[in-house]
Amino acid sequence: MIELTIDKKKVRVEQGTTILKAAQQVGIEIPTLCHFELCDMGIENRPGGCRVCVVEVEGRRNLAPSCITEAEDGMVVKTHNIRVLNARTTVLKLIISDHPFNCLVCAKSGHCELQSLATQFGIRSLPYEGEQSHYRKDTSPSIIRDVDKCIMCRRCEMMCNEVQTVGALAAVNRGFMSVVAPAFEMNLVDSPCTYCGQCVSVCPTGALTEVDHTNDIIRALSDPAKTVVVQTAPAVRAALGEEFGLDPGTLVTGKMVAALREMGFDYVFDTDFSADLTIMEEGTELLQRIRGHLAGDSSVRLPILTSCCPGWVNFFEHNFPDLLDVPSTAKSPQQMFGAIAKSWFAGKIGVNRKDLIVVSIMPCLAKKYECQRDEFKTDGSPDVDFSISTRELAAFIKQANIDFLNLPDEDFDDPLGESSGAGVIFGNTGGVIEAACRTAYELHTGKALKKVDFHELRGVEGIRSAVIDFDGLKLNIGIAHGLGNARKLLDEVRAGTSHYHAIEIMACPGGCIGGGGQPYHHGHSEILAKRAAAIYAEDERKPIRKSHENPSIIRLYDEFLGHPGSQKSHSLLHTEYFPKSNEVSIYLNGHNGK
């Protein structure tokens, strides 16, 4: 332990602690911009490049960036004297001088950390005039890169490389022309990007934002020839309230339904319904593979991998093309919903497929890409037309001038709005495999499950494992959230050393509750914990907590699908995976000698 003085306050900290963290320990706030920390993962972005966090250390000639300068015994630090304030203001003015001034129409306005600091420091004029750097805008199916707004904090690079291990973003060029971009400055769509959106969730400015489909939905809602239905993912209800000033983890399910109905949607449904449907198909596939394995069928591939997360699907298509027969072939709940809505439900209400518009509200930016994949289209018509994030929904509700907090609670419409508690917990890491175990146990044993909650499958560790006893059949379950953790488990599968029968993988830290389209949580793990608790609380309140007991699911199979794994089920509810070509090699070969 060492002792130092910060703003006349004595502080005792462990050796190796930065001045920034030492100051925080005694309630002294130092402004930061490039610094970012994921506390529960032990990962910290501290390049020390922006110099917004500079402080004065007695005995040193130059100001020190507090985010990378380690505290020393006897050190005397001043964090808010005139010299420091002047330096910070100067740095901010220099950064802003090379930044677009279109705050009124910027997607990050109101949530921009650079904008907030400019307000905090009272910056109302810029003494520095000169050339501004300009870079082309890059629009992918899910994410927009507007690099003119990049301040080179490199938070996105940290998330993409250290947390997700995707490697789609890195600093390129030098000096005035330096930017964060994919290799060889290719477009995101040509890079290994999985569209998980974690880069968007940590970007302090509007350099990375989601593709907004709100105006497309408004046009659909205003077209009298169209019937517009909406589905809402389980993680949305646990986070949407944050955008209206409610505490993290406040469930707003009923108010969300009421708001969507007031906005003009013809039917308001729940993705939890198709999560139950996913369990019926994926659980059946799990049991078939395990039984085949036990019978000695060498063609059976284990472990089976869950397939609900499109960011994860994109990841293994890019990085593990030799393992494409390992994941479950079941579509995600979003896509299962679209397939059923545009076939069974459209027939029930007498609407042609082309006149039924399916909108999804998702915590995930990869869902925007997923609904545009060719295999999820029929005659060019997508099963899900538009996907918007939790943030976009909140902005849409505000745009519609709806008094969200005073709305009465309303229920989802039938039949695609009825769900079990198993469908709700899909939003948390471990939730998909727990829901599958609730159903697979009873299908395998023919016995009622006495303990519905599988607490051994829950937790926040990046990689977890548990053994679930199916009345004598011991299943080894693996769970990973965050693509960097997924890579570790997949490397074991590839090497043939994995001992798991089934593995659940979610691309985002915490699962869908920490998705790239959720309200910004800025790395605070306690926010994710509260969202997770809300999801489990809703599960406990549900009268039905097993997917196979959902009456609407039973009815769907009786009337339309036949049984899980039937020919019709495979046609509508299952998919295949495709290896992604090595875009970098193609790029290099195409530009050889140029």
Side-chain angles (χ1 to χ4, degrees):
M1 300 294 290
I2 59 172
E3 185 174 271
L4 68 158
T5 303
I6 305 179
D7 293 344
K8 300 180 181 179
K9 293 183 179 181
K10 296 287 185 183
V11 190
R12 281 181 59 81
V13 295
E14 289 185 8
Q15 191 168 5
T17 303
T18 62
I19 294 175
L20 175 65
K21 287 191 175 181
Q24 291 170 345
Q25 197 166 303
V26 288
I28 297 172
E29 291 298 323
I30 299 173
T32 61
L33 197 53
C34 64
H35 177 266
F36 190 86
E37 186 174 8
L38 291 169
C39 302
D40 56 329
M41 301 184 71
I43 292 176
E44 190 173 5
N45 184 64
R46 49 177 188 173
C50 73
R51 286 322 201 245
V52 168
C53 70
V54 291
V55 295
E56 184 176 83
V57 178
E58 194 172 277
R60 295 192 183 186
R61 186 182 67 176
N62 297 327
L63 297 178
S66 62
C67 72
I68 61 172
T69 304
E70 292 186 359
E72 297 176 3
D73 197 42
M75 182 181 273
V76 177
V77 179
K78 297 176 182 178
T79 71
H80 291 88
N81 62 13
I82 294 301
R83 182 188 178 197
V84 168
L85 293 178
N86 181 61
R88 290 176 185 163
T89 302
T90 301
V91 163
L92 279 170
K93 286 180 178 180
L94 286 167
I95 293 172
I96 294 169
S97 70
D98 188 30
H99 200 80
F101 301 142
N102 59 350
C103 294
L104 286 175
V105 294
C106 178
K108 207 66 179 286
S109 184
H111 296 284
C112 174
E113 294 178 41
L114 182 61
Q115 187 182 59
S116 298
L117 284 172
T119 301
Q120 179 182 338
F121 283 85
I123 296 175
R124 295 292 178 265
S125 62
L126 292 176
Y128 312 112
E129 294 183 6
E131 182 184 357
Q132 287 192 337
S133 58
H134 290 290
Y135 198 84
R136 60 183 176 82
K137 185 179 285 190
D138 174 17
T139 301
S140 73
S142 295
I143 297 170
I144 298 173
R145 290 174 57 243
D146 188 354
V147 187
D148 285 356
K149 298 174 183 176
C150 177
I151 59 171
M152 288 299 289
C153 69
R154 302 176 73 170
R155 292 187 192 177
C156 58
E157 185 181 351
M158 178 266 295
M159 288 300 295
C160 191
N161 296 326
E162 294 184 44
V163 178
Q164 300 294 66
T165 69
V166 170
L169 295 172
V172 298
N173 302 329
R174 294 291 184 92
F176 193 57
M177 298 309 296
S178 60
V179 295
V180 175
F184 310 105
E185 299 183 71
M186 63 174 64
N187 292 329
L188 271 183
V189 72
D190 298 320
S191 78
C193 177
T194 66
Y195 307 121
C196 70
Q198 288 303 306
C199 59
V200 177
S201 70
V202 300
C203 178
T205 65
L208 291 163
T209 55
E210 62 259 52
V211 175
D212 192 341
H213 292 291
T214 303
N215 288 332
D216 297 310
I217 295 169
I218 291 173
R219 282 192 289 270
L221 289 170
S222 62
D223 187 344
K226 303 297 182 184
T227 299
V228 187
V229 305
V230 62
Q231 57 166 317
T232 63
V236 175
R237 70 207 66 195
L240 178 61
E242 296 168 33
E243 293 284 335
F244 297 91
L246 297 176
D247 291 335
T250 303
L251 285 169
V252 292
T253 312
K255 296 185 187 304
M256 175 182 66
V257 171
L260 290 167
R261 202 165 274 137
E262 195 164 318
M263 289 159 70
F265 288 96
D266 296 294
Y267 296 91
V268 182
F269 292 135
D270 197 354
T271 313
D272 292 5
F273 166 86
S274 48
D276 283 335
L277 184 59
T278 300
I279 289 303
M280 297 304 295
E281 295 297 321
E282 198 165 78
T284 299
E285 188 179 1
L286 167 64
L287 288 176
Q288 287 174 344
R289 288 208 205 178
I290 290 173
R291 287 167 181 166
H293 174 72
L294 293 175
D297 186 347
S298 59
S299 66
V300 172
R301 293 298 302 269
L302 286 179
I304 186 172
L305 307 176
T306 59
S307 55
C308 300
C309 171
W312 142 239
V313 168
N314 228 350
F315 181 75
F316 76 70
E317 286 183 328
H318 272 105
N319 296 280
F320 297 88
D322 52 317
L323 300 180
L324 296 186
D325 58 338
V326 178
S328 165
T329 61
K331 293 179 181 178
S332 72
Q334 171 180 268
Q335 295 308 135
M336 283 197 183
F337 180 95
I340 293 300
K342 289 201 173 183
S343 56
W344 183 59
F345 181 70
K348 290 184 76 66
I349 62 173
V351 173
N352 290 328
R353 176 188 170 92
K354 64 181 180 63
D355 293 324
L356 186 71
I357 303 297
V358 175
V359 175
S360 70
I361 314 294
M362 294 285 146
C364 169
L365 301 190
K367 292 291 183 184
K368 295 173 180 286
Y369 158 79
E370 181 186 43
C371 65
Q372 297 179 42
R373 287 180 64 128
D374 289 337
E375 63 267 30
F376 299 139
K377 297 178 181 179
T378 301
D379 297 328
S381 167
D383 292 335
V384 177
D385 296 276
F386 306 110
S387 178
I388 64 172
S389 67
T390 309
R391 292 192 297 266
E392 288 171 83
L393 174 61
F396 196 178
I397 292 171
K398 294 171 184 176
Q399 182 181 344
N401 200 30
I402 292 173
D403 185 4
F404 184 80
L405 297 180
N406 290 313
L407 287 173
D409 287 349
E410 296 183 9
D411 292 327
F412 290 103
D413 291 312
D414 286 328
L416 307 186
E418 189 170 17
S419 63
S420 74
V424 174
I425 61 175
F426 263 57
N428 287 338
T429 171
V432 175
I433 200 68
E434 180 176 347
C437 285
R438 292 180 187 182
T439 288
Y441 177 91
E442 295 198 356
L443 293 181
H444 174 71
T445 66
K447 299 177 181 179
L449 185 62
K450 295 178 181 179
K451 183 177 70 72
V452 173
D453 297 313
F454 289 86
H455 291 285
E456 58 267 53
L457 298 174
R458 303 178 185 181
V460 297
E461 298 86 358
I463 297 176
R464 308 190 299 282
S465 61
V467 177
I468 306 298
D469 187 351
F470 277 26
D471 197 25
L473 173 63
K474 302 290 181 66
L475 291 187
N476 293 317
I477 306 293
I479 298 167
H481 60 109
L483 292 174
N485 292 319
R487 183 184 292 277
K488 295 174 185 176
L489 293 188
L490 287 171
D491 283 339
E492 292 179 2
V493 175
R494 174 178 275 168
T497 60
S498 176
H499 67 284
Y500 295 117
H501 295 102
I503 298 176
E504 179 205 284
I505 294 177
M506 292 189 180
C508 296
C512 301
I513 56 166
Q518 292 280 69
Y520 299 111
H521 57 82
H522 303 293
H524 295 300
S525 56
E526 64 271 16
I527 292 178
L528 296 184
K530 290 178 179 179
R531 292 176 186 172
I535 292 287
Y536 287 124
E538 179 147 322
D539 165 38
E540 290 177 1
R541 288 197 293 267
K542 285 277 193 177
I544 298 171
R545 301 185 63 195
K546 304 166 193 169
S547 298
H548 58 286
E549 293 179 354
N550 181 343
S552 292
I553 293 292
I554 295 170
R555 178 182 168 193
L556 174 62
Y557 279 106
D558 287 344
E559 291 185 6
F560 188 63
L561 294 174
H563 58 83
S566 69
Q567 185 174 350
K568 181 167 282 188
S569 292
H570 266 282
S571 155
L572 287 171
L573 307 180
H574 290 255
T575 186
E576 57 184 313
Y577 306 109
F578 305 93
K580 301 292 185 183
S581 55
N582 189 334
E583 292 88 352
V584 173
S585 296
I586 292 173
Y587 185 93
L588 287 174
N589 290 334
H591 291 72
N592 189 31
K594 295 185 182 179

